[in-house]
Amino acid sequence: MMASEKLFGLHATALQLRSQRMMMLASNIANAATPNYKARDIDFAKALDLAQQGASTEGAVAYRVPVQSSLDGNTVEMATEQTAYAENALAYRSSLSFLTGRINTLTRAIKGE
């Protein structure tokens, strides 16, 4: 077990995975008009499980199956991507808030407050 895992639990790993997912979702949104672009997403629960086992999280990445196919082969559906991005951003902020609180607690303990 790494020192950061002892201090911060799963939240440090979760924050990193949420960040990776946010970049992937942003890439999907940015490529909404790119012909034949295939939207991808990370299965967060699966990625967290893989990370806990010390395995690569690449196995948690999958292509998104569109509800309605577009004529140009692009699988990005803006409503789906924007919703996933907003939910992920909220979870990211929650993990960040927990870590900030944990760091503040550790800092006060070190200072003897």
Side-chain angles (χ1 to χ4, degrees), residues 93-110:
R93 284 193 299 270
S94 296
S95 288
L96 188 58
S97 292
F98 176 84
L99 287 172
T100 300
R102 182 73 174 140
I103 290 168
N104 288 340
T105 299
L106 292 170
T107 302
R108 285 195 306 272
I110 291 169

Side-chain angles (χ1 to χ4, degrees), residues 4 7 9 20 24 27 44-45 49 52 57 63 66 68 74 76 79 91 103-104 111:
S4 64
L7 289 174
Q20 289 173 357
M24 190 171 290
S27 179
F44 181 77
D49 187 44
Q52 283 181 291
T57 57
Y63 289 100
Q68 184 172 347
N74 186 305
V76 175
I103 290 168
N104 288 340
K111 291 180 180 179

Side-chain angles (χ1 to χ4, degrees), residues 36-64:
N36 296 313
Y37 181 83
K38 306 301 180 205
R40 298 183 317 150
D41 197 1
I42 296 174
D43 179 334
F44 181 77
K46 185 175 182 180
L48 191 58
D49 187 44
L50 288 169
Q52 283 181 291
Q53 296 173 22
S56 169
T57 57
E58 283 298 313
V61 176
Y63 289 100
R64 192 181 306 283

Side-chain angles (χ1 to χ4, degrees), residues 2 4 6 8 11 13 20 53-54 57 61 72 101-102 113:
M2 295 175 54
S4 64
K6 289 179 184 177
F8 305 119
H11 290 279
T13 303
Q20 289 173 357
Q53 296 173 22
T57 57
V61 176
D72 67 358
R102 182 73 174 140
E113 296 177 0

Side-chain angles (χ1 to χ4, degrees), residues 58-86:
E58 283 298 313
V61 176
Y63 289 100
R64 192 181 306 283
V65 177
V67 174
Q68 184 172 347
S69 300
S70 71
L71 295 175
D72 67 358
N74 186 305
T75 63
V76 175
E77 294 175 317
M78 286 301 284
T80 301
E81 301 302 328
Q82 289 170 335
T83 301
Y85 188 90

